[in-house]
Amino acid sequence: MSVAAERIWLKSYPPGIPADIDYQPFSSIVELFEQSVAMYAARNAYCFMGKTMTYAELEADSCKLAAYLQSLGLEKGARIAIMMPNCFQYPLALFAILRAGYTVVNVNPLYTPRELEHQLKDSGAQAIFILENFAATLQQVIDKTSVKHVVVSALGDRLGLKGFIVNLVVRHVKKLVPAWSLSGHMPFNKALAQGERCAFSKPALTLDDVAFLQYTGGTTGVSKGATLTHKNIVANILQSEAWYMPALKRIPAGEQVVKVTALPLYHIFALTACCLLGLRIGAMNLLIANPRDFAKFIHDLSNCPPHVFPAVNTLFNALMHHPDFDKVNWKKLILAVGGGMAVQESVAAQWLERTGCTICQGYGLSETSPIVTCNPTDTREFSGAIGLPLSNTEVSIRDDEGKSMSIGERGEICIRGPQVMVGYWQRPEETAQVMTEDGYFRTGDIGIMDERGYIRIVDRKKDMILVSGFNVYPNEVEEVIAGHPGVLEVAAVGVPDEYSGEAVKVFVVRKNQSLTEEDLRTYCTQNLTGYKRPKFFEFRDELPKTNVGKILRRVLRDEALKKTT
């Protein structure tokens, strides 16, 4: 019998965590939402810039916004994009879209026009919620897409009188809003007011309806949408809730959980682990629009001491290097969850020493809604492992032929469970490449499982580069740079980086010898969002290739690694 069939990890589960949970009582995310907003109506659901929004307000305003969307005549299942940072408008738009029976398309607000155009066209999005700061980007591509309805918001739109000041500073002092013009756009607050006068018709939703198109990189060099159903997301919320319980039990009775939401909500980690799981447990999410503004971030943490803090290694590390870090009251912190990228042992040790809380490392992907494995949340030590498979989850370590490996043997981490996507949006061939005949998703990560069921990642099968928790696919970077008229050939690889875990390095053969590094940096700034841009450039006369002419990235990566060691 295979390791996966035996589910050997169950013997390592903390007391009280079930082998399987029942997600069938909920017909959709909306039903789960309705239960929570009724149960926790008087509680604060979100805190942003010192202002709060209750669960009752979230329910009422998202309903108005849902009614507005339905008044546009969009059919059930229509794709609607959200291009916003963490602010009150994001969850309002999110739950409005889902409640109205539509599909959410999360968009990175920092996308370049090229990246935004691809995602809007590929998803077939017909409407978009966007912050005015990014409207100029949409203006450049909207005529090439299916988007007919645009709702534009300013950062302070839901902050009352304070919002007027916030908008004034953002627009005229910090000058963060480039000039834009979008014909027929609808202001966010006006959409809410109009929706209040519209009738809302609750759609019939099932667990099989598509809730999200969560875009991730692809082996073909283009971003593709992981199709996540209501079942995928509901299951992962309930799986995560069960896994969090040993930690949550340490919070005094009657005390509301405060959860830090500094990771961007368009990223699957924050979407599920913060926004949706927070809703389920009646937590208050502390929304951080710009986590790189560490002074403001720490000020918010000081005013609202957290119980739960999901983050990536780079964020934990950067916060600890701020001089005011120790002014935060960390005594309430009972769970720090590390994901998105490997947590470094030195960072985990410092975090434990400074806060008294162990970083609990987990693992997931956009294709798995995202959480697959996690260390027990009552753990007192950092091991470097990515933990145990969650309830209802099977993990099989397999070789290239699909054979299950034994305990301690290296192989590709393959996953089966209710949180695994139904496939890539309108890409059956790419879906077939990552799914096995017996229903496992092939992650491309190489791991080892020990006799207790704990898993460690030891290598990566794919060429994907992981920059601060974001996937960067070499093919996309290469395709962009190859479009420069001065480039003959290019190869992109990942190299170790102290700050971001990995960074992008490109090797370039010039067609035009006058081409400079600065030329390419400028070109990449215009065509690639920040985390995808190469940090290092190296010009060469030729690149190593196979007999059939395929560039050998592995050789280049090995050479780059030798230079860093």
Side-chain angles (χ1 to χ4, degrees), residues 187-484:
F188 190 91
N189 285 342
K190 188 175 180 181
L192 269 171
Q194 190 166 310
E196 190 170 15
R197 299 190 295 271
C198 298
F200 170 65
S201 175
K202 184 177 177 180
L205 292 170
T206 72
L207 289 173
D208 293 328
D209 284 313
V210 178
F212 294 91
L213 294 186
Q214 197 68 26
Y215 275 75
T216 183
T219 55
T220 59
V222 296
S223 182
K224 57 190 184 295
T227 306
L228 303 177
T229 64
H230 284 262
K231 168 190 167 182
N232 295 146
I233 300 297
V234 167
N236 208 230
I237 293 170
L238 299 181
Q239 289 168 313
S240 302
E241 179 190 26
W243 201 258
Y244 271 45
M245 277 306 154
L248 297 179
K249 286 178 180 177
R250 302 208 303 270
I251 297 175
E255 188 171 321
Q256 186 181 15
V257 176
V258 174
K259 178 173 281 197
V260 179
T261 307
L263 299 173
L265 286 168
Y266 63 79
H267 191 282
I268 190 67
F269 183 17
L271 176 67
T272 300
C274 297
C275 182
L276 298 173
L277 178 59
L279 179 87
R280 171 63 180 169
I281 63 176
M284 183 181 77
N285 281 278
L286 176 62
L287 297 175
I288 307 296
N290 179 16
R292 291 184 178 86
D293 184 350
F294 295 115
K296 176 67 167 60
F297 189 178
I298 288 177
H299 172 77
D300 289 343
L301 290 171
S302 299
N303 290 337
C304 197
H307 298 92
V308 181
F309 193 165
V312 294
N313 181 81
T314 49
L315 185 55
F316 287 128
N317 193 32
L319 272 178
M320 287 190 293
H321 282 83
H322 193 278
D324 293 336
F325 179 80
D326 292 324
K327 293 182 180 179
V328 177
N329 176 12
W330 294 107
K331 292 181 180 179
K332 289 188 175 185
L333 188 66
I334 51 93
L335 182 59
V337 183
M341 63 185 294
V343 176
Q344 296 170 340
E345 188 173 351
S346 60
V347 171
Q350 291 177 54
W351 185 267
L352 175 60
E353 181 182 350
R354 302 281 291 278
T355 69
C357 182
T358 304
I359 294 179
C360 177
Q361 184 166 228
Y363 169 74
L365 308 98
S366 296
E367 293 90 340
T368 55
S369 306
I371 307 173
V372 174
T373 68
C374 193
N375 282 274
T377 56
D378 58 358
T379 185
R380 297 295 183 180
E381 61 181 25
F382 179 81
S383 67
I386 58 171
L388 305 165
L390 300 191
S391 306
N392 302 73
T393 305
E394 298 171 85
V395 172
S396 178
I397 309 296
R398 300 187 174 188
D399 64 14
D400 289 342
E401 283 71 47
K403 174 189 172 186
S404 294
M405 309 304 289
S406 300
I407 293 296
E409 291 185 330
R410 295 163 59 104
E412 184 174 6
I413 299 173
C414 301
I415 303 156
R416 186 167 67 184
Q419 71 269 53
V420 175
M421 67 171 185
V422 295
Y424 293 120
W425 178 251
Q426 297 180 337
R427 296 181 188 272
E429 291 183 0
E430 292 217 27
T431 301
Q433 290 175 13
V434 299
M435 298 302 298
T436 66
E437 291 184 359
D438 54 347
Y440 280 82
F441 169 69
R442 303 175 67 98
T443 66
D445 289 316
I446 306 300
I448 294 173
M449 184 182 293
D450 68 20
E451 67 281 352
R452 298 177 302 155
Y454 282 83
I455 301 166
R456 288 179 179 271
I457 293 178
V458 296
D459 199 0
R460 188 175 298 133
K461 187 174 181 180
K462 298 176 182 176
D463 287 326
M464 184 263 287
I465 305 163
L466 198 60
V467 179
S468 295
F470 290 92
N471 294 350
V472 178
Y473 286 79
N475 286 12
E476 182 182 9
V477 177
E478 292 166 357
E479 183 179 339
V480 167
I481 295 177
H484 191 288

